[in-house]
Each structure stands twice: as C-alpha cells, then as structure tokens.
Amino acid sequence: MYNLHAATIAIIAVNIIVSLRGFSDSVFFDRYKFSIGGVKAGQRERTVTSGFLHVDISHLFFNMFTLYFFANVVINGFGPVKFLIIYFISLIGGSLLALFFHKNEPYYSAVGASGAVTGILYAAILLNPNMQLGIMFIPIPLPAYVLGIAYLLYSIYGMKSRLGNIGHTAHFGGAIGGYVITLLFRPDLFVTDTLIVLLLAVPIIILFILEKMGKI
C-alpha cells in the first residue's frame, strides 16, 4: 500500500529474527518470554524481550500486519524517534500491566508484540480519530475511535473471563502506553479533540474502577 519507513522495517526485522530463533529453540524462548516468576526473580529484561517473541507464524504475521497499517500514521505525525518511543513504552506498559494484574500468579507467561502494536494503533487513532477501519463480519467501515473503545471494552471482558489463550492485559497496557505518550507529545489534542480524548479514556477508567472493586 505504501512504503515502509526504515524504523518500521527495523522493528519488523527484529521481531522476525527473534521469533524465528524462538520457534526453533525452546530454551531461548523460555528464557526470554514474559514470566511473572522470572521477572520477580530479577530478570527484568523479560518485560522487553518477550515483545519480540511469538508463539507461531500466524501470531507473528498478525502483529506485523497490524503494525504495517498504522506505523506510518504515527511516523508521519511524530517522526521516527517518537514512533520508536511510543512503541517501546507501549511494549513495556503491556508487560507492567500484566505484572500488576497477575503478580500473584508465578506461572503466568506471555509473548508477542501485541502490546506495542496496540500502543501504535491507539496513537494512530488519537492522531486521526476519524479514519475508517474495517473489521470482519461488519460490512461497513467504522470510525477508528469507535473500534478503539470497543476493543478496550472487549479486552476488559477477556481479562475478567480469561477468554482464550490471549494476553488481554498486555493489549490493554499497550493501549494505555500509546494513549498517554501520544497526549504527552501532543497536549493540543486535549483542546482540538476533547471528546475523542475523553471517550478513549472511559475504558481505562472502567478497568481501574473494576480492579479497585475486586471485580477483575
């Protein structure tokens, strides 16, 4: 569809290289995946390295395909350096939220770039909230912010019900990272897109209210 920036190519290349190594080397995979027990034991690098490992080719492809569609929106809005900052803070944000919610589950583990990619997605939504996105089973495109809010609400449901073998917590943490850092870089959005900024905050507020109430 369009030319990828070198920063995006670099991120995709590292994900492919590290993931392929993990596919063929279970010791490598286990050492660098996100693990509550491992992080608590002092292996904090897992909060970053896990974001470059994937379970299989389809997991890797889906994350990189999503990044392909939204990376240029963020790079065009901020430049490659801030794009990379958002990517890595979202990655770490996903790991930290997983650590917070699963701190008493020593065997909880996760891998994947989903947190980082979701952060880029939410940054893109804030920068261009009216862009139209399509989704399977819905025949018409919807405004990006509508799908963004719906996705976070779905993630809350997934966290409550432990739905599927999916790191819903990391997705949500990545979205929070992308949301917060984008607003730090572009505080004018509070003025120019006040309603969108507030609407995208609603699922985040709901999550922490539910956590305080012990409902999640």
Side-chain angles (χ1 to χ4, degrees):
M1 289 177 61
Y2 48 69
N3 293 327
L4 290 178
H5 191 278
T8 309
I9 294 172
I11 289 292
I12 292 174
V14 174
N15 270 279
I16 291 172
I17 292 167
V18 175
S19 292
L20 290 176
R21 171 72 184 274
F23 295 159
S24 61
D25 187 340
S26 60
V27 174
F28 177 85
F29 184 90
D30 289 338
R31 173 60 184 83
Y32 292 107
K33 69 182 180 181
F34 178 83
S35 160
I36 295 292
V39 173
K40 284 190 169 183
Q43 297 169 349
R44 295 182 180 87
E45 69 278 3
R46 290 175 182 263
T47 59
V48 175
T49 57
S50 59
F52 294 94
L53 289 167
H54 291 82
V55 173
D56 52 32
I57 288 290
S58 62
H59 186 206
L60 172 64
F61 174 79
F62 181 79
N63 278 331
M64 296 303 99
F65 190 62
T66 305
L67 181 66
Y68 165 80
F69 276 108
F70 297 102
N72 271 11
V73 177
V74 180
I75 291 173
N76 290 339
F78 286 133
V81 173
K82 288 182 177 179
F83 161 77
L84 291 172
I85 290 172
I86 293 171
Y87 186 92
F88 279 98
I89 288 181
S90 298
L91 190 165
I92 295 168
S95 293
L96 291 179
L97 197 69
L99 183 62
F100 176 76
F101 275 97
H102 301 285
K103 56 183 176 292
N104 296 320
E105 303 171 45
Y107 297 107
Y108 179 88
S109 63
V111 294
S114 301
V117 172
T118 305
I120 294 299
L121 169 62
Y122 274 82
I125 290 173
L126 280 167
L127 291 171
N128 190 3
N130 291 315
M131 65 179 170
Q132 301 291 300
L133 298 180
I135 189 171
M136 287 190 302
F137 311 121
I138 298 178
I140 58 173
L142 297 171
Y145 71 88
V146 172
L147 291 180
I149 293 167
Y151 183 72
L152 281 193
L153 293 174
Y154 169 76
S155 293
I156 292 174
Y157 171 72
M159 291 166 66
K160 282 176 61 64
S161 62
R162 301 298 180 98
L163 185 66
N165 189 26
I166 300 172
H168 297 286
T169 314
H171 296 182
F172 206 110
I176 293 173
Y179 177 85
V180 171
I181 301 304
T182 298
L183 291 174
L184 287 175
F185 287 156
R186 285 282 308 276
D188 60 289
L189 292 173
F190 283 107
V191 177
T192 61
D193 290 287
T194 307
L195 180 59
I196 298 300
V197 170
L198 292 176
L199 287 174
L200 288 173
V202 169
I204 299 171
I205 295 168
I206 290 173
L207 174 69
F208 286 101
I209 288 174
L210 290 175
E211 190 278 329
K212 286 294 184 182
M213 295 173 62
K215 301 292 186 181
I216 192 169

